Amino acid sequence: MLRFTSDRYEPIIQAPVYVGADIGGIYDWLLSTTPQTQLDGAPRPMPQGKVLGGGSILNAMCWNRGGQDDYDTWAALGNPGWDWEGMLPYFIKSETYTPVYSADIAREYSINYNPLVHGTSGPVQVSYPRFFYPQSTNLFAALNYLGVPTEFDPNDGSSAGAAFVPSDLDPINQTRSDARRTYFDPYVSRPNFHVITGQHVTRILIEGVASNFVVDNPTPGGNEDGNGMNGVTSNEGFGFGPGGSTPALDNSTTARLLRRQSPSTSNLRITGVEFAASASDTRRSITATREVIVAAGSLHSAQLLQLSGIGPSSLLDSFDIPVAVDLPGVGNNLQDHCLVGTFYPYNNASYPSPTQLTTNATYNAAAELEYNTFKTGPWTAGSPNALAFNPLPLITNNSASILSGADDQDPTEFLPAGLDPTLVAGYTLQKQSLVRRLAETNVASYEIINNNAGSLTLA
């Protein structure tokens, strides 16, 4: 496994109180969107984990699944096995769920769970903080007044409504249960498992495809570490594995064919990967004896495939990248939800607030001592646990008009010109599906996140 770096168990990573504080730091790729026409022509940041464990190091620790209808629609669009029933066994397998520790807390915050949809022996610890901000109950009451229900269990597939969601949180020491600590640390001593940090994969090696001069050769003065903006860089080559070091690279192993996608690409073999410490460093390679798994995140996985010659031929040709597989979908159809913060000046001083941790040094010192001593108190609570996924008909009286306008919209109106017809067809099917489903009261249209500090985030 090749990764840029690894964290050092810093409190900013592990303590829930610091949720969000490490975004924009040394473990973030510091990427941004292109300038957005409808947002004052300015770009917006897109946090991505640049560390062993990826985005699970940076995220808000909320542990909630999508709605059953979302997964069933994946399958209906031609992806068998990706429906709710197909995914649920893997959701269960991934977690060890610990119910909330207090029956009174469970009643007050409407925390319930269905044991049939939760795991008890998976790697990720899923539990609840040892401190609850009471503002959450006000949010639920207000949404209930508007007709938005409070969900019984936000992870049972019926996610349209309000809920206090669990966290990827160790119930004993109240620290983040991220991918590094759950999928790497317990297995570090395996003789067949090695991680090299301080390196970037530059391309996948494909037998039968011409080399790419642009990718294969060092670039003096190039983007040294791949960051989207000027950020802190590190080329430290930490070696993880038996004895704390990575064995010397062996390029003598002969690669063998594992899978072929179609007769049109049957002459192609994935033989390994090429990597380097930075854009200006010498390329090195590792050959694969079984398979190469690309798991570089939603953005970098597509980029890596394209750099390797797998993607839209028109794009690859424009960068003089030899085409291995003309696959128009690579790098297209990214779907994400933007965050919009809404701020209002009213706060009730009788309610505890996370802002007290930054404005009252005495209060924060006491909270830190409580956390370090007993693993309880405000430091256990990353603020955004009270969420609501609101169905459109329950949140506005204009839902029919909104959906009618969306239904009349040409699917290509906001798509780039010259897009492959297969992609246009895919976008058309997705839009038709969304318009139909968003008319239902059991399908969420957007998310409300309560930060307990006088603002709500819409996503």
Side-chain angles (χ1 to χ4, degrees):
M1 181 184 292
L2 294 164
R3 278 290 181 186
F4 180 76
T5 190
S6 61
D7 72 275
R8 298 165 180 79
Y9 302 98
E10 300 97 323
I12 197 172
I13 298 296
Q14 297 202 82
V17 69
Y18 290 116
V19 157
D22 48 346
I23 292 176
I26 62 173
Y27 301 130
D28 187 352
W29 279 103
L30 305 177
L31 301 178
S32 61
T33 67
T34 58
Q36 298 297 295
T37 305
Q38 305 299 327
L39 293 175
D40 301 324
R44 291 298 187 272
M46 296 188 69
Q48 296 282 303
K50 183 185 179 183
V51 62
L52 190 65
S56 69
I57 298 290
L58 301 180
N59 66 23
M61 300 175 62
C62 293
W63 188 263
N64 57 306
R65 303 164 185 162
Q68 177 174 339
D69 182 76
D70 294 320
Y71 299 107
D72 289 347
T73 302
W74 283 359
L77 289 173
N79 302 284
W82 289 81
D83 57 356
W84 172 258
E85 292 301 323
M87 296 290 289
L88 182 58
Y90 298 97
F91 293 148
I92 293 173
K93 184 179 180 180
S94 71
E95 69 176 25
T96 292
Y97 179 84
T98 301
V100 68
Y101 54 90
S102 163
D104 291 337
I105 289 290
R107 282 191 296 270
E108 182 177 359
Y109 293 90
S110 303
I111 300 175
N112 302 286
Y113 76 101
N114 177 0
L116 297 179
V117 299
H118 288 285
T120 58
S121 58
V124 181
Q125 295 294 325
V126 178
S127 67
Y128 296 86
R130 291 281 177 165
F131 184 88
F132 287 75
Y133 288 99
Q135 291 91 324
S136 299
T137 59
N138 293 341
L139 174 68
F140 297 161
L143 289 167
N144 292 164
Y145 180 80
L146 294 173
V148 178
T150 299
E151 292 300 314
F152 180 82
D153 183 338
N155 287 313
D156 69 358
S158 57
S159 61
F164 195 99
V165 302
S167 301
D168 51 344
L169 180 70
D170 188 297
I172 305 301
N173 61 25
Q174 291 287 295
T175 58
R176 180 187 292 266
S177 184
D178 56 71
R180 184 250 171 98
R181 268 149 281 277
T182 55
Y183 287 95
F184 170 74
D185 286 354
Y187 312 107
V188 66
S189 61
R190 285 185 176 179
N192 62 342
F193 182 39
H194 308 287
V195 173
I196 305 173
T197 58
Q199 305 293 326
H200 301 267
V201 176
T202 55
R203 70 181 178 111
I204 303 164
L205 299 175
I206 306 176
E207 185 180 285
V209 178
S211 63
N212 177 3
F213 180 84
V214 177
V215 176
D216 290 350
N217 289 273
T219 308
N223 187 359
E224 288 297 298
D225 61 1
N227 275 340
M229 300 181 294
N230 291 330
V232 180
T233 62
S234 171
N235 283 327
E236 295 172 303
F238 296 103
F240 293 90
S245 63
T246 303
L249 301 178
D250 182 359
N251 293 324
S252 62
T253 306
T254 301
R256 63 184 179 86
L257 174 66
L258 278 185
R259 297 170 183 161
R260 293 172 175 169
Q261 290 188 318
S262 70
S264 64
T265 59
S266 61
N267 63 313
L268 302 179
R269 299 187 181 198
I270 305 296
T271 61
V273 297
E274 178 187 82
F275 65 98
S278 72
S280 60
D281 275 303
T282 302
R283 277 33 174 178
R284 306 177 70 186
S285 62
I286 297 178
T287 54
T289 58
R290 294 188 60 188
E291 61 184 347
V292 172
I293 299 173
V294 178
S298 56
L299 302 182
H300 288 108
S301 291
Q303 179 195 37
L304 181 56
L305 290 173
Q306 291 174 353
L307 289 171
S308 307
I310 302 174
S313 59
S314 58
L315 175 67
L316 303 184
D317 289 342
S318 69
F319 287 96
D320 295 324
I321 297 175
V323 178
V325 181
D326 181 11
L327 202 58
V330 176
N332 283 293
N333 201 29
L334 173 67
Q335 299 186 30
D336 204 347
H337 57 177
C338 301
L339 298 180
V340 179
T342 59
F343 301 93
Y344 46 91
Y346 177 77
N347 278 286
N348 188 335
S350 64
Y351 283 80
S353 168
T355 56
Q356 293 175 270
L357 296 170
T358 57
T359 60
N360 187 327
T362 302
Y363 177 79
N364 183 58
E368 181 180 12
L369 178 63
E370 180 181 0
Y371 177 76
N372 290 333
T373 305
F374 304 109
K375 300 302 179 184
T376 58
W379 270 46
T380 70
S383 57
N385 284 84
L387 311 177
F389 293 88
N390 305 292
L392 193 63
L394 299 184
I395 209 70
T396 175
N397 293 326
N398 296 322
S399 61
S401 175
I402 293 171
L403 293 173
S404 176
D407 192 34
D408 293 338
Q409 186 184 83
D410 185 341
T412 65
E413 184 175 347
F414 297 103
L415 296 178
L419 207 60
D420 189 269
T422 60
L423 296 177
V424 175
Y427 281 116
T428 301
L429 286 175
Q430 289 178 81
K431 187 184 81 76
Q432 293 171 348
S433 172
L434 282 171
V435 170
R436 182 182 69 256
R437 292 163 53 229
L438 288 176
E440 304 295 331
T441 58
N442 64 340
V443 176
S445 60
Y446 71 98
E447 179 184 11
I448 291 178
I449 306 171
N450 173 39
N451 77 343
N452 299 304
S455 71
L456 297 174
T457 296
L458 306 182

